[in-house]
Amino acid sequence: MKNAEALALARSADPNIASISSVRSIARLWAGMGSIQSFQCETKDGKNVTIIAKKISCPNPQSFGDKRKAASYHAEASFYLHHSTDSALAGICCQ
């Protein structure tokens, strides 16, 4: 993942992110539908933080199983989108 994409994804989890110092792939998702990444970041006020992000990519699932996985990933992304202001979910991003 390129730094510009990582920065945009990290900022969706925490708008206070100023920069990314490293990006590390943690795991690939089922059927190659994305990955889980770890970002070492610096905030605008100079704090170092780690953000774990799940990047989903399933533009055109064909089989029943792939459609089911894609629907599950989209439901998860929707959950994080609507509940990411909860302090227990800080630094979590699923897109």
Side-chain angles (χ1 to χ4, degrees), residues 4-86:
E5 182 181 12
L7 183 58
L9 195 55
R11 284 182 174 158
S12 71
D14 182 351
N16 196 38
I17 298 298
S19 64
I20 303 279
S21 59
S22 72
V23 176
R24 182 173 59 95
S25 180
I26 296 174
R28 296 192 65 196
L29 302 181
W30 291 334
M33 289 187 173
S35 61
I36 298 175
Q37 305 283 327
S38 174
F39 307 137
Q40 295 301 314
C41 309
E42 186 173 325
T43 63
K44 293 174 184 174
D45 55 358
K47 294 179 185 172
N48 291 315
V49 297
T50 299
I51 292 183
I52 304 298
K54 182 182 282 188
K55 177 69 176 170
I56 300 165
S57 177
C58 47
N60 191 20
Q62 297 296 313
S63 72
F64 176 79
D66 284 351
K67 288 177 183 178
R68 186 178 51 80
K69 289 176 193 115
S72 175
Y73 289 140
H74 288 293
E76 180 182 13
S78 178
F79 169 81
Y80 287 119
L81 178 67
H82 298 293
H83 299 285
S84 63
T85 57
D86 183 336

